[in-house]
């Protein structure tokens, strides 16, 4: 068995937890390429999700950081257009096959390793996303979201109370949610994520606490409170308006395709909440009908929805699971609406 496969499969913590860098620094470029071949075959055939994802991240790291750093590793090279096109179209498995074919023909080099590293990196996250999708679809109460293929089939309606505007201001009621954040006291390297924990239960043994926050020394009335907030309300425009107060980002969405375009702006988390809550169900991805038709059925003709998120005084990289809790809060607000 190869050294890196032994690292992934071993039941001995001293072997399973040894750092990748330790092996890669001592190995030659040819030895790393042999390990990559074994890891690639392993990720294609193995059933354990946790171990397959770990193999994909090993492949990403080797091609991204360790192979190019080896003395004498060829830097010039070319990347096949077919593989590049597959990568852009998120067909990562096909892209990898194309790049590996060129590597076998022309030998390993910097550009091909760069392309492989990106493909393996993206495939790892796609593998996780597909597992989430399968888990969600396996719950009977969620299956309708994947079967709706036309706005006319949408079964949900906005709560009637949210359609009654204030006669003085003309504004509609607001659904508000707030939540604490999570601090992981034992840090599991995120292996407690449920779809990884199912295949690696030892990694899910963690200790978490939920905490409220406030600014230290900001006055007696500055009591700790949930720092993550989400709001939903009906608006008198047939659009989906998304707003992140802390990121200072706002977008008015007019098409269904835009809802599924997570890379378009900084509002991907709000889009994910709109999809996961069933407002724009996953089954409508690639639907060509106007978003206005969907909103007319769910909210009412001439109306739309505004979804707002706000995270108070938490810097990026805080390790407080802000994104996870914000997504949960947004989904809860949308489902209540």
């Amino acid at each position: 068995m190869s050294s890196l496969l032994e690292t992934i499969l071993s039941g001995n913590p001293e072997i399973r937890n040894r750092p990748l860098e330790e092996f890669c620094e001592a190995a030659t470029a040819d030895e790393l390429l042999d390990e990559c071949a074994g890891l690639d075959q392993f990720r294609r055939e193995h059933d354990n999700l946790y171990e397959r994802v770990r193999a994909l991240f090993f492949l990403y790291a080797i091609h991204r950081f360790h192979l190019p750093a080896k003395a004498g590793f060829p830097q010039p090279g070319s990347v096949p257009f077919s593989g590049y096109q597959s990568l852009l179209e998120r067909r990562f498995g096909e892209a990898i096959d194309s790049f590996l074919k060129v590597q076998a023909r022309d030998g390993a080099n910097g550009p091909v390793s760069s392309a492989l590293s990106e493909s393996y990196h993206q495939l790892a996250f796609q593998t996780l996303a597909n597992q989430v999708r399968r888990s969600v679809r396996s719950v009977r109460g969620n299956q309708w979201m994947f079967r709706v293929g036309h706005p006319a089939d949408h079964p949900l309606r906005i709560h009637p109370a949210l359609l009654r505007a204030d006669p003085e201001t003309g504004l509609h009621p607001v659904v508000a949610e707030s939540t604490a954040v999570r601090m992981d006291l034992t840090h599991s390297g995120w292996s407690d994520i449920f779809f990884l924990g199912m295949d690696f239960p030892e990694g899910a043994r963690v200790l978490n606490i939920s905490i409220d926050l406030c600014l230290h020394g900001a006055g007696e009335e500055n009591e700790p409170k949930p720092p993550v907030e989400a709001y939903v309300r009906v608006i008198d425009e047939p659009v989906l308006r998304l707003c992140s107060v802390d990121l200072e980002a706002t977008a008015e969405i007019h098409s269904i395709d835009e809802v599924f375009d997570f890379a378009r702006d900084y509002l991907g988390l709000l889009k994910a909440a709109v999809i996961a809550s069933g407002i724009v169900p996953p089954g409508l991805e690639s639907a060509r009908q106007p978003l206005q038709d969907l909103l007319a059925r769910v909210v009412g003709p001439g109306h739309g929805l505004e979804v707002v998120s706000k995270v108070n005084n938490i810097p990026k990289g805080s390790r407080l699971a802000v994104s996870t809790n914000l997504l949960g809060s947004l989904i809860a607000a949308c489902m209540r609406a």
Side-chain angles (χ1 to χ4, degrees):
M1 181 184 295
S2 74
S3 295
L4 294 183
L5 285 180
E6 183 185 17
T7 300
I8 293 173
L9 294 171
S10 177
N12 182 347
E14 291 186 3
I15 297 176
R16 186 179 65 242
N17 298 331
R18 59 191 179 188
L20 175 66
E21 291 79 2
E22 187 177 280
F23 172 82
C24 291
E25 288 176 1
T28 65
D30 287 339
E31 289 172 336
L32 288 180
L33 289 170
D34 287 341
E35 290 286 343
C36 286
L39 289 170
D40 186 81
Q41 190 68 26
F42 176 82
R43 64 95 184 169
R44 295 171 189 266
E45 299 175 350
H46 200 57
D47 293 331
N48 186 289
L49 178 73
Y50 178 84
E51 292 166 355
R52 278 194 293 123
V53 170
R54 195 176 184 198
L56 284 166
F57 279 119
F58 275 11
L59 285 161
Y60 152 70
I62 292 170
H63 281 285
R64 173 66 179 85
F65 302 107
H66 300 289
L67 273 173
K70 293 298 178 181
F73 187 73
Q75 297 305 318
S78 60
V79 174
F81 178 75
S82 60
Y84 174 70
Q85 189 172 34
S86 295
L87 183 59
L88 290 181
E89 294 174 355
R90 301 185 59 79
R91 293 184 280 113
F92 303 120
E94 294 179 24
I96 290 169
D97 290 342
S98 179
F99 298 142
L100 287 177
K101 185 177 180 179
V102 170
Q103 179 178 272
R105 185 191 68 198
D106 301 336
N109 57 66
V112 171
S113 276
S114 177
L116 282 169
S117 71
E118 179 65 14
S119 300
Y120 284 125
H121 192 230
Q122 294 293 340
L123 182 60
F125 285 107
Q126 188 180 71
T127 301
L128 294 175
N130 288 341
Q131 179 62 29
V132 173
R133 194 173 290 110
R134 283 193 293 269
S135 299
V136 171
R137 292 186 72 160
S138 67
V139 178
R140 181 171 297 178
N142 295 331
Q143 290 172 355
W144 70 268
M145 292 195 292
F146 298 89
R147 295 171 179 165
V148 173
H150 191 282
D153 300 327
H154 203 303
L156 299 185
R157 301 292 181 273
I158 204 74
H159 195 287
L162 299 181
L163 294 171
R164 294 193 285 268
D166 185 294
E168 295 185 2
T169 64
L171 299 177
H172 293 269
V174 176
V175 175
E177 286 281 349
S178 62
T179 185
V181 285
R182 182 190 78 163
M183 181 176 287
D184 184 350
L185 301 180
T186 54
H187 209 291
S188 61
W190 296 281
S191 59
D192 60 325
I193 299 172
F194 77 94
F195 42 85
L196 293 177
M198 289 188 295
D199 284 342
F200 181 46
E202 296 85 353
R205 295 170 183 168
V206 299
L207 180 62
N208 300 322
I209 58 174
S210 292
I211 55 177
D212 295 338
L213 298 175
C214 66
L215 290 175
H216 179 67
E220 295 181 0
E221 297 182 359
N222 185 37
E223 294 293 330
K225 60 183 180 180
V228 175
E229 303 174 17
Y231 303 93
V232 178
R233 68 166 182 159
V234 173
I235 55 177
D236 294 325
E237 296 179 63
V239 298
L240 180 62
R241 183 183 299 151
L242 305 179
C243 177
S244 171
V245 175
D246 51 291
L247 295 179
E248 299 182 348
T250 302
E252 288 195 351
I253 296 178
H254 298 267
S255 71
I256 292 175
D257 282 345
E258 287 182 67
V259 179
F260 292 92
D261 187 355
F262 299 103
R264 188 185 185 94
D265 44 45
Y266 294 110
L267 300 167
L269 206 64
L270 282 81
K271 294 176 181 177
V274 168
I275 295 167
S277 63
I279 293 175
V280 182
L284 286 178
E285 186 173 6
S286 301
R288 300 190 179 278
Q289 291 74 27
L291 179 62
Q292 183 176 343
D293 292 354
L294 176 67
L295 293 171
R297 182 166 178 83
V298 177
V299 187
H303 290 89
L305 285 174
E306 182 178 55
V307 182
V308 179
S309 68
K310 184 183 179 186
V311 178
N312 299 307
N313 302 312
I314 302 180
K316 292 182 179 180
S318 65
R319 297 186 180 272
L320 293 177
V322 175
S323 297
T324 304
N325 287 354
L326 175 57
L327 180 58
S329 190
L330 285 163
I331 292 173
C334 289
M335 293 183 72
R336 282 178 58 202

